[in-house]
Amino acid sequence: MPTPAPARPGTGLPSRFDDLLVQAARHEPPVTAVAHPCDHTAIAAAVDAAAAHLIDPVLVGPKDRIQKAAAEAGADISPFRLIDAPHSEAAAAAAVTLVRSGEATMLMKGSLHTDELIHAVLDPAAGLRTGRRLSHVYLMDVRSYHKLLFITDAAINIAPGLADKRDILQNAVDLSRVLGVTRPKVAVLSAVETVNPAIPSTLDAAALCKMADRGQITGALVDGPLAFDNAISREAAQDKHIVSEVAGDPDILLVPDLEAGNMLAKQLTFLAGARAAGLVLGARVPIILTSRADNERARLASCAIAVLLARARASGAAA
């Protein structure tokens, strides 16, 4: 079981990820294919998650490099299955094959590039694609905000169009519902809070709101366009005479593009001391993404939310 988390910096409060870690560790850990864990950070992430009873890792990659990384990290990998693959591309393909064959129920990124793993997942022969576009979600514990905050997409879709944003939004909504948010509130972000034809993201925001009204997006309350200040702050929204059930209380922030999302998430992490867990959605299985900048608790949280989503899908409780 995971050990108690340290207080969030500057608050004296425990991490809001704690409950998720406890819930995820209650049952048998799912077999997880870890693609190319060939540096000390990647191998430590897998070993730590196994020690926390979150995953049962299968390590896939060059055997000698994995063993060297484990030695550098002081990690004992003897209890785990190790599948030799000559390089990162082969490791990604082999990890995906484990999922396709049913030998693993989740994927975890090691030290390879994200696009190498995603390319293997999207291979039509892999059988992991669904009708949804793949997207990335950050689940963030921001000490100045009153609840966990989802930010999407900050890692996969560079310049998503309207149809892409619909999938990105729905993926995040489905995850938030699995994690206990009954009717998530979604703020569709732009630079301004009014529809302006010169700013395409405001047109997408307006269309997404109407799509939610018409049932093309389900399970959430969607509002936008909203600038970041009046999305997060009810007072800022009131100052601009914005009447909104979402303003000041969003669960999900849908960003205009990858650049905006990536900068927002990293600003919250490095300037505001937030913890961030990351997951790729839209495939048949959850895909755990961790970063070298993540601390141990954030990496464990990424595994925990993947476990909870996989378990919900297996029980038929997730979309």
Side-chain angles (χ1 to χ4, degrees), residues 59-80:
L59 309 176
V60 186
K63 183 177 180 180
D64 55 343
R65 290 185 61 188
I66 292 175
Q67 291 173 333
K68 180 181 178 182
E72 291 173 352
D76 179 12
I77 61 172
S78 61
F80 310 128

Side-chain angles (χ1 to χ4, degrees), residues 29-40:
V31 177
T32 302
V34 186
H36 204 256
C38 293
D39 65 23
H40 69 279

Side-chain angles (χ1 to χ4, degrees), residues 161-205:
L162 178 60
D164 302 328
K165 289 180 180 179
R166 182 267 164 197
D167 281 0
I168 292 167
L169 194 159
Q170 192 69 65
N171 284 342
V173 168
D174 292 346
L175 176 62
S176 68
R177 288 168 61 85
V178 165
L179 299 184
V181 184
T182 304
R183 192 181 183 220
K185 297 177 180 180
V186 181
V188 185
L189 296 184
S190 184
V192 295
E193 64 281 348
T194 54
V195 176
N196 183 341
I199 306 177
S201 60
T202 67
L203 301 177
D204 287 348

Side-chain angles (χ1 to χ4, degrees), residues 84-312:
D84 193 21
H87 47 69
S88 58
E89 183 178 343
V96 166
T97 297
L98 287 173
V99 174
R100 184 177 67 235
S101 68
E103 295 180 72
T105 56
M106 298 198 311
L107 279 172
M108 183 173 180
K109 174 182 173 290
S111 55
L112 76 174
H113 291 296
T114 298
D115 57 357
E116 289 184 280
L117 183 58
I118 297 304
H119 179 77
V121 170
L122 292 177
D123 183 348
L128 299 189
R129 300 179 75 165
T130 68
R132 294 269 185 89
R133 189 171 184 84
L134 294 191
S135 62
H136 179 270
V137 173
Y138 273 122
L139 179 56
M140 306 203 75
D141 180 8
V142 187
R143 66 183 185 224
S144 58
Y145 194 62
H146 57 280
K147 56 184 172 180
L148 287 170
L149 187 64
F150 298 77
I151 296 176
T152 191
D153 179 342
I156 300 293
N157 293 281
I158 297 172
L162 178 60
D164 302 328
K165 289 180 180 179
R166 182 267 164 197
D167 281 0
I168 292 167
L169 194 159
Q170 192 69 65
N171 284 342
V173 168
D174 292 346
L175 176 62
S176 68
R177 288 168 61 85
V178 165
L179 299 184
V181 184
T182 304
R183 192 181 183 220
K185 297 177 180 180
V186 181
V188 185
L189 296 184
S190 184
V192 295
E193 64 281 348
T194 54
V195 176
N196 183 341
I199 306 177
S201 60
T202 67
L203 301 177
D204 287 348
L208 289 166
C209 291
K210 186 51 65 178
M211 292 169 81
D213 291 343
R214 296 289 187 265
Q216 293 172 270
I217 297 165
T218 60
L221 179 63
V222 183
D223 196 6
L226 290 168
F228 183 78
D229 57 347
N230 46 58
I232 289 294
S233 167
R234 193 177 303 277
E235 291 75 16
Q238 290 172 345
D239 288 344
K240 293 193 174 182
H241 308 291
I242 298 170
V243 178
S244 169
E245 292 183 62
V246 172
D249 192 39
D251 299 284
I252 299 169
L253 300 179
L254 179 71
V255 299
D257 55 33
L258 182 145
E259 289 176 307
N262 194 275
M263 284 186 275
L264 173 59
K266 288 179 178 177
Q267 285 166 353
L268 291 174
T269 301
F270 288 93
L271 292 179
R275 291 192 177 102
L279 204 62
V280 173
L281 307 171
R284 279 180 46 210
V285 299
I287 303 169
I288 303 162
L289 286 193
T290 58
S291 166
R292 292 181 182 87
D294 291 342
N295 61 27
E296 178 186 355
R297 208 66 184 179
R299 294 194 294 265
L300 292 179
S302 297
C303 294
I305 60 177
V307 169
L308 294 172
L309 179 57
R311 192 178 297 157

Side-chain angles (χ1 to χ4, degrees), residues 41-55 75 80 296 299-300 303:
T41 301
I43 200 71
V47 172
D48 290 343
H53 205 252
L54 295 172
I55 67 170
F80 310 128
E296 178 186 355
R299 294 194 294 265
L300 292 179
C303 294

